[in-house]
Amino acid sequence: MRKQISWSLYVLICIMSACSPNHETTTMEATLLFENTALLGEGPIWNHETQQLYWVDIEKRQLHLYTPEINKDNFFSTGERVGTVVPIESGGALVALENGIHSMDLQDGKLTFIANPLEDSIRFNDGKCDPLGRFWVGSMHLKGKKGAASLYRMDQDQQITQKLDSVTISNGIIWSLDNTTMYYIDTPTRQVKAFDYDIESGEISSPRVVINVPQENGAPDGMTIDEEGMLWIGHWGGGMVGRYNPETGEMVQKIDVPALNVTACAFGGENLDKLYITTASIGMSEEQMEEYPQAGGLFVAEPGVRGVPADFYRGL
């Protein structure tokens, strides 16, 4: 009996230690995949059907398609600032441009206008599709005006509804593995909020803060999720990607990136075991560029966990 009690106590101590917010965070380093010197690399998403990484350079007004099999990165000019991209289930891509949401033919880059709910001096920023293929995309003021932006949902019939207002920089968005929670980032708040999510109606409710990012780690930007339900967040001004447990708010793993402004990340590769990481070089001083000469590059890491397939837009 004494041995049994001792063993139980040992297991309990181990569990408490693992759950403690003071336990050491596992750290690894990302590897430069290729130098691109993107001004504002953003919005990576893996197309598991074509085995390509889609990502954008907002300020260069480019949509990039990276094919790891041949290590080649091609791009299309979008003409306007492009906040994010998602694949369309029937083919092509949905791009959120400064002048509205468009579909793009990925054979010739032709754009087809869909809708534009934005006011003057506002542009689209980050966005993704929910598990039923509705497109959620946020915005920001061109000069970062506080509370001037919104979060929108575009349904399969292209009808657009404003879901949140008084947002400043709408960024990372992702849904839990059981489809009951939506996680969302308004970057200047340094918080990740969780909303109850109704998959059938697409409605969100009961917002609450689940993660607070300390100032020394920069500000949370783009976000994805892994097969264990942990959130991976790029840290603008923090030079890293953090893996967070949304149940405890704790950062449990860290990937150091040799770029000051890490914008977003996405799992990709044949087994969804590679984490692709976008970065930015815009607004950096000469001294910062000397310290981070690879800023604006595309990076990759193998963190030891897999992601989940991205959801595509199911309209059009």
Side-chain angles (χ1 to χ4, degrees), residues 35-280:
E35 292 186 13
N36 183 273
T37 317
L39 286 176
L40 188 48
E42 261 285 10
I45 186 169
W46 180 255
N47 186 327
H48 51 270
E49 294 184 355
T50 65
Q51 294 291 294
Q52 290 177 307
L53 182 77
Y54 296 4
W55 63 282
V56 302
D57 187 336
I58 295 175
E59 291 297 328
K60 284 188 178 179
R61 297 154 170 82
Q62 295 172 344
L63 166 61
H64 289 253
L65 305 178
Y66 173 63
T67 308
E69 184 178 7
I70 57 175
N71 193 33
K72 189 172 184 179
D73 184 73
N74 295 320
F75 69 87
F76 293 102
S77 173
T78 59
E80 301 282 345
R81 290 184 179 91
V82 50
T84 196
V85 57
V86 295
I88 299 173
E89 192 173 61
S90 60
L94 206 61
V95 288
L97 306 185
E98 192 173 346
N99 61 347
I101 299 171
H102 298 67
S103 62
M104 177 182 276
D105 187 321
L106 296 182
Q107 298 300 315
D108 57 13
K110 180 182 178 181
L111 291 166
T112 301
F113 176 80
I114 298 174
N116 185 15
L118 300 179
E119 298 178 357
D120 291 343
S121 301
I122 304 290
R123 71 164 174 84
F124 279 119
N125 203 43
D126 206 359
K128 285 189 177 71
C129 288
D130 70 14
L132 283 191
R134 293 169 289 224
F135 182 45
W136 293 68
V137 60
S139 63
M140 62 175 288
H141 192 276
L142 290 175
K143 294 185 178 179
K145 184 178 178 181
K146 184 177 180 179
S150 303
L151 175 68
Y152 300 92
R153 188 192 74 213
M154 187 171 84
D155 294 340
Q156 296 92 333
D157 61 0
Q158 290 85 64
Q159 293 299 308
I160 297 179
T161 306
Q162 185 186 66
K163 304 308 297 178
L164 294 174
D165 60 12
S166 302
V167 174
T168 301
I169 301 179
S170 186
N171 249 315
I173 186 169
I174 201 70
W175 289 263
S176 62
L177 302 183
D178 63 3
N179 300 331
T180 64
T181 305
M182 185 185 85
Y183 300 105
Y184 176 70
I185 293 170
D186 181 2
T187 291
T189 67
R190 299 185 186 276
Q191 297 174 336
V192 179
K193 285 187 176 179
F195 293 79
D196 289 346
Y197 165 72
D198 186 308
I199 188 171
E200 296 302 325
S201 67
E203 294 301 317
I204 54 174
S205 60
S206 304
R208 65 270 185 195
V209 176
V210 292
I211 296 169
N212 285 288
V213 176
Q215 187 170 356
E216 61 267 25
N217 287 346
D221 201 320
M223 174 170 54
T224 192
I225 195 168
D226 65 32
E227 64 179 357
E228 296 177 359
M230 302 293 110
L231 304 178
W232 293 79
I233 301 172
H235 288 241
W236 181 274
M240 67 179 185
V241 173
R243 184 192 191 211
Y244 290 84
N245 183 338
E247 297 298 321
T248 65
E250 177 189 5
M251 184 168 67
V252 295
Q253 189 172 348
K254 182 175 73 168
I255 298 176
D256 288 327
V257 183
L260 177 63
N261 295 320
V262 179
T263 56
C265 55
F267 283 96
E270 186 176 356
N271 297 313
L272 295 177
D273 57 355
K274 293 179 172 59
L275 190 70
Y276 293 100
I277 303 166
T278 51
T279 65

